[in-house]
Amino acid sequence: MKYLVTGGCGFVGSNLAAEVLRRGEELYVLDNLYRFGSADNLKWLRKQGDFKHYPYDIRNANDVETVIREVQPDYIFHLAGKCNQ
């Protein structure tokens, strides 16, 4: 199965993504790394297994559409959100 996790480098998203990798499933992560700590979570997640990271912004519909067309995921977990800091 193919999984796409938007916001996959946030706290919840990275833990969900790690579980997908642990199960041996195909993982794709869409996260622009805007939130503090996201880059560290991406680094940690890379140690958990192989996956493709798209550094796109969820607010760009064209980018999201491109990723979905390319990946053709079986499941999409939408965990991305704009955070005002």
Side-chain angles (χ1 to χ4, degrees), residues 7-9 30-35 38 53-59 80-81:
C9 295
L30 190 154
D31 196 304
N32 67 355
L33 306 179
Y34 172 77
R35 188 162 151 52
S38 294
H53 170 240
Y54 293 91
Y56 301 154
D57 191 319
I58 194 73
R59 295 172 292 177

Side-chain angles (χ1 to χ4, degrees), residues 6-83:
T6 68
C9 295
F11 177 76
V12 174
S14 62
N15 282 283
L16 172 64
E19 178 62 18
V20 169
L21 291 172
R22 188 189 72 71
R23 292 176 181 224
E25 303 288 355
E26 206 170 329
L27 175 65
Y28 301 86
V29 171
L30 190 154
D31 196 304
N32 67 355
L33 306 179
Y34 172 77
R35 188 162 151 52
F36 179 77
S38 294
D40 292 333
N41 289 345
L42 175 60
K43 195 181 301 182
W44 172 79
L45 194 53
R46 291 221 185 270
K47 294 176 185 174
Q48 309 308 306
D50 293 323
F51 63 94
K52 174 133 181 169
H53 170 240
Y54 293 91
Y56 301 154
D57 191 319
I58 194 73
R59 295 172 292 177
N60 184 322
N62 185 53
D63 286 347
V64 173
E65 205 172 301
T66 298
V67 170
I68 291 172
R69 265 199 221 116
E70 181 180 313
V71 172
Q72 296 183 345
D74 297 298
Y75 298 99
I76 299 174
F77 288 90
H78 176 53
L79 301 172
K82 185 173 181 290
C83 177

